[in-house]
Amino acid sequence: LMTFAYLPLLAYANVRLIRQDDSRGWAWLAASIAILWMCHPVTGMVALILSAGLQGIRLAAWDCHGAAWRRAAGGVAIFVGLSAYALWSMRETGASRLGNPGRFLAEVAYWLIAAVGLVRLMATRRLAWLAGMLGAAALIMPTQRVCAIWFVTTGLVAAVIALAGKRWSWWADPDRLVWRLAGTALVGGLIATTFFKEMDPRRLTVAEQYLSLLGYIHPRYFLPISPRAEQLGDLQAGYVVWALAALAVVAGLVARRRDAALLGLATLGMTLLVTPLPRVSRFLATVMPDQVYDTIGTNLWLRLTPALATLGAFAGALVLMRWRSSRVSLQIILLLGAVGAIAWNATEQRKIMLRAGRATNTTAHTREIQRGENSQLYSYSYDLLPKPGYFTTGVVDYHLESRLLRPADLSPVPDPWFAGRPDRTVDLATRVNEADSRWVEVLEKFTVAPGERQAWTFVFRDLPYEGILILRGTRGFYRSYQLPVAGFSGKSFGSKPGNPKMLAVWNTDSLPVEIEMVFLRNEPPAGGPPFGSFGQLMIKSYRPEDLQVRTLGMIPYVAEVSLAEPAFLETPRVAIPGYRVKVDGRAGLVEKSPEGLAMVRLEPGAHRVELTFAGSLGLWLALLASAVSWLGLLAAAWRRQGQPVRPGF
């Protein structure tokens, strides 16, 4: 949602550069991508790839000279300066979803070599550029076989078209180059995937995931929004945008307008990515770079739709604004069409607004569900941070998230409080819901008094625990935990042998909370026996001051601990550069635990530990670089105020 305000700026900057290459246009483009990256890094990456494609085609086809490339390099430098803080932050947090950075940059380089070779081959009709595509294919063959074959087949098809252009003028028309490029790439890809099959199991799995999700959103994606706006395909570009995009495609083919043709091509390309076309979709999924797919994920359609809608609207508007006609009847038709389009969009958006109203909680209910016992404490933005193996996805008491580790082997030191006898043990008898056999309901109800904290330790049976364990109670109490594992590894809460079996339940309300337990099975066994007992539950009350690590605060992290022997205190903070620690008021050393968390060595005795994030020197320098770059860009824009604008902009 934060990116919507800046996507039109991205489209404007690209159109401006297509019409006339200048430094100001590159500054606009760099600023739009940088701010999109700060709002939502995945959308920023889509904007970067899209702009690189549009401007790369322009530079390689029509403006391939030193001055244009120097301005492009200046635009890249501006983007790096504006985004220094965000990029350095990603570097320090690990950016694990990007995989091996060296391999990623190498694959980007191979794609650039192939792309420049293709455009120059078709723009100049010089067969020497075919060597670039063949060389890129040889370099990428070890990691992406089908992609390499695509480079080869596309290069050979382009060579045939280039030779044809020496005899037939239509094939040599520079204003129709965009569509020749698109057709050549698509034909080359279909040839490659017809005669050469993808063999990499991982890439085949990615393709299946991709096609499976596209099956969920279609055909709803190209239909009017459903009456209650509750379908995945209701998140769509819409009929008006499709009509404008189609107008741009036709105008690009007929009127040979480069700006409309490039934006129309980009819109068409993204439409193919979100449309389940059997052979085309599989081809696009198998040649997509791993890091791009891993970052965007299976919900590629959701990431592309905002940019797709913006480009489609801009591309059609470019054609309409240049449409000159003295016929009053045509002007009236266009005016009525515009009014009808606005009315249609208003009707469609009304469905979305009503859906939002139905999904919005009341203020009272929001207060209930946002109590500490319902709030998930840890969330990892775009999965860039490494996830500690024992962290559980769901609500966890932060008082239980710190651990003591033995110095010899860094194994956890169990908390003595939970080694004692439980307060009570309950057999979890169940019944299966008659209306829906997926729901298994535990008969016993549990009460948590005001201010009470309970540790629930499960003893699971030999059952297929495939589903979601749900704890729900009065006044908004709600928890859910995926089984057999509710986390990232064998150290998260789960029903499998070796997984931790304890959950914390507490109540900050002034009245008791009654909790019921239900289990939502993924698939009930066909004709199987009744579920029977869910297992046993051992309940033991605890107080934060009874624990071996007493957590006093989270921001900053403050804890007290008393030790009879040396130990490491492992905090819940991911170990990234920039943390500072004080032990009893004196500076200490922050180390990295086997789980990737910040830990501190402690000697025997009573200690107070305070861990704060001050930021690394590199992060502060990157912040300074970004601040200076943004201020400089704004100052340059301010100085240009009042200057005449060139015609056509």
Side-chain angles (χ1 to χ4, degrees):
L1 293 176
M2 290 177 65
T3 64
F4 290 166
Y6 306 105
L7 284 167
L9 177 61
L10 177 79
Y12 163 76
N14 275 291
V15 171
R16 178 191 177 98
L17 285 171
I18 293 168
R19 291 182 174 183
Q20 180 176 341
D21 185 297
D22 63 358
S23 299
R24 194 179 185 191
W26 279 108
W28 278 110
L29 184 61
S32 63
I33 299 175
I35 199 166
L36 286 169
W37 200 289
M38 284 191 290
C39 291
H40 188 244
V42 176
T43 304
M45 186 186 71
V46 171
L48 181 61
I49 295 173
L50 173 66
S51 300
L54 292 174
Q55 301 309 319
I57 292 175
R58 175 185 66 81
L59 288 168
W62 302 305
D63 296 324
C64 193
H65 52 81
W69 285 103
R70 284 193 295 272
R71 283 192 288 269
V76 172
I78 294 173
F79 166 73
V80 171
L82 297 174
S83 305
Y85 179 73
L87 297 175
W88 190 266
S89 298
M90 293 178 65
R91 176 187 179 277
E92 288 194 341
T93 54
S96 57
R97 292 293 293 273
L98 295 181
N100 186 318
R103 176 182 169 184
F104 175 64
L105 293 175
E107 290 187 358
V108 169
Y110 305 155
W111 274 76
L112 288 175
I113 293 171
V116 171
L118 173 63
V119 176
R120 294 302 294 164
L121 171 61
M122 300 196 71
T124 64
R125 301 186 299 282
R126 295 177 182 173
L127 296 183
W129 288 103
L130 180 61
M133 298 201 68
L134 299 180
L139 292 171
I140 207 170
M141 178 67 78
T143 56
Q144 295 190 33
R145 176 174 174 268
V146 171
C147 188
I149 296 169
W150 175 41
F151 288 170
V152 173
T153 54
T154 302
L156 295 177
V157 172
V160 172
I161 294 176
L163 292 174
K166 294 183 177 181
R167 298 194 58 182
W168 292 287
S169 60
W170 190 92
W171 295 98
D173 187 346
D175 290 324
R176 290 195 171 95
L177 175 63
V178 172
W179 302 107
R180 290 202 302 276
L181 287 170
T184 301
L186 183 59
V187 169
L190 293 178
I191 293 173
T193 53
T194 299
F195 296 101
F196 302 93
K197 303 301 181 184
E198 178 62 65
M199 304 299 293
D200 185 345
R202 182 186 177 283
R203 298 190 71 81
L204 289 173
T205 301
V206 166
E208 291 304 321
Q209 292 174 342
Y210 173 64
L211 293 172
S212 175
L213 187 68
L214 290 185
Y216 281 116
I217 69 170
H218 284 278
R220 171 58 57 194
Y221 193 73
F222 289 112
L223 297 176
I225 296 174
S226 61
R228 293 180 61 84
E230 294 176 342
Q231 304 296 320
L232 280 179
D234 289 331
L235 298 172
Q236 55 176 271
Y239 280 6
V240 175
V241 169
W242 296 130
L244 290 171
L247 179 63
V249 171
V250 173
L253 286 169
V254 177
R256 296 181 295 178
R257 287 189 46 79
R258 293 179 181 179
D259 50 7
L262 278 172
L263 263 63
L265 174 62
T267 307
L268 182 61
M270 287 192 290
T271 303
L272 291 177
L273 283 171
V274 298
T275 306
L277 303 175
R279 184 171 295 176
V280 175
S281 297
R282 189 174 297 277
F283 158 67
L284 293 173
T286 51
V287 301
M288 191 180 301
D290 289 349
Q291 291 84 353
V292 173
Y293 182 85
D294 287 345
T295 303
I296 295 176
T298 54
N299 54 352
L300 178 66
W301 64 279
L302 180 60
R303 311 299 194 186
L304 292 183
T305 297
L308 186 156
T310 303
L311 288 184
F314 255 77
L318 286 175
V319 175
L320 290 176
M321 287 190 296
R322 289 299 184 98
W323 198 334
R324 298 287 186 268
S325 175
S326 58
R327 296 174 58 185
V328 176
S329 58
L330 182 59
Q331 294 177 6
I332 293 175
I333 291 173
L334 289 176
L335 179 61
L336 292 176
V339 172
I342 293 172
W344 171 266
N345 266 9
T347 302
E348 293 289 274
Q349 289 302 320
R350 179 66 176 166
K351 299 175 185 177
I352 299 289
M353 295 166 66
L354 291 174
R355 170 73 178 88
R358 291 192 299 271
T360 302
N361 291 318
T362 64
T363 302
H365 188 55
T366 300
R367 289 196 186 101
E368 291 177 354
I369 65 176
Q370 290 300 322
R371 297 200 308 265
E373 60 265 39
N374 290 334
S375 300
Q376 184 167 328
L377 185 62
Y378 301 105
S379 183
Y380 292 87
S381 180
Y382 305 107
D383 293 335
L384 295 182
L385 290 172
K387 293 180 278 293
Y390 71 87
F391 274 18
T392 294
T393 301
V395 179
V396 178
D397 185 0
Y398 70 87
H399 290 286
L400 303 178
E401 286 296 279
S402 301
R403 305 192 302 176
L404 293 179
L405 307 179
R406 298 183 179 94
D409 56 3
L410 295 180
S411 60
V413 179
D415 194 312
W417 180 261
F418 300 111
R421 294 175 58 87
D423 299 334
R424 62 185 290 224
T425 300
V426 181
D427 183 69
L428 302 176
T430 66
R431 64 167 174 256
V432 176
N433 188 290
E434 295 180 359
D436 188 344
S437 60
R438 295 178 304 163
W439 291 92
V440 178
E441 303 165 355
V442 174
L443 300 179
E444 184 83 14
K445 300 292 192 296
F446 306 91
T447 300
V448 182
E452 184 182 12
R453 294 178 183 266
Q454 297 179 357
W456 289 13
T457 303
F458 290 81
V459 180
F460 292 101
R461 300 172 57 213
D462 185 18
L463 291 172
Y465 294 101
E466 298 283 346
I468 302 175
L469 176 64
I470 298 172
L471 312 179
R472 59 193 184 194
T474 53
R475 281 190 295 285
F477 184 96
Y478 186 86
R479 306 281 186 81
S480 64
Y481 301 93
Q482 186 75 37
L483 292 180
V485 178
F488 312 117
S489 78
K491 298 181 181 181
S492 306
F493 171 78
S495 59
K496 288 185 175 181
N499 284 89
K501 303 296 187 290
M502 189 177 76
L503 293 176
V505 176
W506 69 101
N507 177 19
T508 62
D509 199 10
S510 59
L511 297 173
V513 171
E514 186 180 65
I515 301 171
E516 65 175 356
M517 186 185 307
V518 295
F519 182 58
L520 175 59
R521 295 184 284 185
N522 294 341
E523 291 290 340
F531 198 87
S533 172
F534 191 79
Q536 283 187 326
L537 180 64
M538 295 182 290
I539 301 175
K540 185 176 178 63
S541 296
Y542 69 94
R543 299 180 305 169
E545 55 267 28
D546 295 330
L547 305 177
Q548 61 180 356
V549 179
R550 297 172 294 280
T551 306
L552 305 181
M554 293 299 287
I555 303 176
Y557 172 83
V558 181
E560 291 181 347
V561 59
S562 297
L563 300 173
E565 298 178 351
F568 281 102
L569 171 61
E570 184 188 53
T571 74
R573 293 286 183 262
V574 175
I576 59 176
Y579 273 112
R580 304 288 185 268
V581 67
K582 288 185 178 181
V583 179
D584 302 325
R586 296 186 297 272
L589 177 64
V590 179
E591 300 184 54
K592 187 175 183 178
S593 77
E595 294 294 335
L597 299 172
M599 68 178 186
V600 184
R601 182 186 294 270
L602 300 176
E603 298 300 326
H607 301 286
R608 179 185 175 91
V609 178
E610 182 172 346
L611 184 73
T612 58
F613 183 75
S616 66
L617 176 62
L619 189 65
W620 280 103
L621 291 176
L623 176 60
L624 178 62
S626 288
V628 170
S629 298
W630 279 107
L631 291 173
L633 190 66
L634 293 173
W638 182 268
R639 285 199 302 269
R640 293 185 66 93
Q641 280 191 349
Q643 295 185 12
V645 179
R646 288 189 296 275
F649 290 93

